[in-house]
Amino acid sequence: MREAAADSPDFEVVDSTFMKRVFYAFAALALLSVAISVGGKWLGRSIAMAGYTDDTTGRQVVVGNNVISVPANFIRFDQARRDGIASRLDLYLRYPEMDGYSTAARDDFNHTATKKIIFLSFEPRMMSRDMSGRFAPIYSALIVKPGTPGPSGTTLYGFTEKSGYLNEVLAVADRPGKDPFVARCLSGPSAKESLAPCERDIQVGDDLSLTYRFPRELLGNWQALDAAIATKVAGILKTGH
């Protein structure tokens, strides 16, 4: 009977080894399809987040003799979103809410409307004076006076050619009983291309320097901005003393 079936022109014996290969091929394709589906969902979320995280798990980061306690969604870089010791810590916050990334804040962090993200960098202090303290002994000798009126009582000074601060201006405002408010801002085309062209550094904690960068549009609200930074830092920074 087997010989008769084999001799028939309409019957072909299929090798069992070939069938196993076909089965394994289809099984592999099925597993690949599942992997692509799962991986695609994960990658799609990763791309959509664009490096951000909405994770609000608290992190304890030690810089020098200071502990900075913040939610993960305040921390700018993924590799820094962990507990432990670091040489510096970079954060970003939304102003005036002073909160981190969330789904509700996506447009603000993607800069699709107004610029309102501020960037903060904590690192060990390298200079004895902060930017306000450096105005009288250093910056005052490097600027072109008398300057021009700026927003909210500030005066904008250009720098001399030999100062080394090309395409920058110095924004200065008097503060009764204190050193003046001082910030450096980019000028010209480079300022328009930057998300946060102004920067200011202050001394905080135990021998820490905090540099915060902000949109030039916020210069007109410098008093409230500086106060908001001080309040936020007081809430997240603990020294070793």
Side-chain angles (χ1 to χ4, degrees):
M1 291 294 294
R2 287 175 57 87
E3 291 179 0
D7 291 338
S8 173
D10 297 326
F11 186 85
E12 182 179 353
V13 176
V14 179
D15 184 71
S16 60
T17 302
F18 173 75
M19 289 301 296
K20 288 181 180 179
R21 289 177 179 175
V22 171
F23 172 77
Y24 290 143
F26 277 107
L29 287 173
L31 291 174
L32 180 60
S33 178
V34 172
I36 290 174
S37 177
V38 174
K41 291 179 181 178
W42 177 86
L43 183 60
R45 174 173 170 79
S46 178
I47 292 174
M49 297 296 282
Y52 300 126
T53 180
D54 53 9
D55 180 12
T56 57
T57 301
R59 298 300 181 194
Q60 307 283 326
V61 181
V62 179
V63 181
N65 197 36
N66 306 267
V67 177
I68 303 169
S69 180
V70 290
N73 65 334
F74 279 39
I75 301 175
R76 186 177 177 190
F77 300 113
D78 180 64
Q79 64 271 24
R81 294 170 186 145
R82 58 177 178 78
D83 297 327
I85 299 172
S87 59
R88 64 178 282 162
L89 182 64
D90 296 288
L91 310 179
Y92 47 12
L93 304 174
R94 183 174 56 150
Y95 181 83
E97 294 84 357
M98 301 302 285
D99 56 5
Y101 179 85
S102 65
T103 301
R106 179 189 297 120
D107 288 346
D108 291 330
F109 277 83
N110 286 333
H111 315 285
T112 58
T114 58
K115 296 178 181 178
K116 55 187 303 183
I117 303 302
I118 53 178
F119 302 87
L120 295 78
S121 298
F122 294 88
E123 56 190 333
R125 188 184 305 170
M126 301 298 292
M127 290 182 275
S128 60
R129 298 172 182 264
D130 61 16
M131 191 171 283
S132 289
R134 296 197 299 272
F135 176 71
I138 299 176
Y139 288 129
S140 62
L142 302 176
I143 57 178
V144 178
K145 299 175 182 178
T148 59
S152 296
T154 59
T155 301
L156 304 180
Y157 297 96
F159 284 97
T160 63
E161 293 183 0
K162 297 181 180 180
S163 67
Y165 296 106
L166 298 177
N167 300 318
E168 292 189 37
V169 297
L170 194 71
V172 182
D174 290 332
R175 297 187 298 178
K178 298 181 180 180
D179 289 331
F181 169 88
V182 179
R184 294 203 329 266
C185 297
L186 296 174
S187 60
S190 55
K192 295 180 180 180
E193 296 171 359
S194 175
L195 296 173
C198 294
E199 74 170 44
R200 167 171 167 77
D201 65 69
I202 58 177
Q203 294 179 351
V204 298
D206 185 0
D207 287 328
L208 274 189
S209 177
L210 167 62
T211 298
Y212 71 86
R213 297 187 296 113
F214 57 95
R216 182 152 180 170
E217 291 85 347
L218 297 182
L219 190 59
N221 203 24
W222 65 266
Q223 299 101 322
L225 174 62
D226 214 43
I229 293 291
T231 299
K232 177 59 69 173
V233 170
I236 65 174
L237 181 63
K238 304 294 184 292
T239 68
H241 296 305

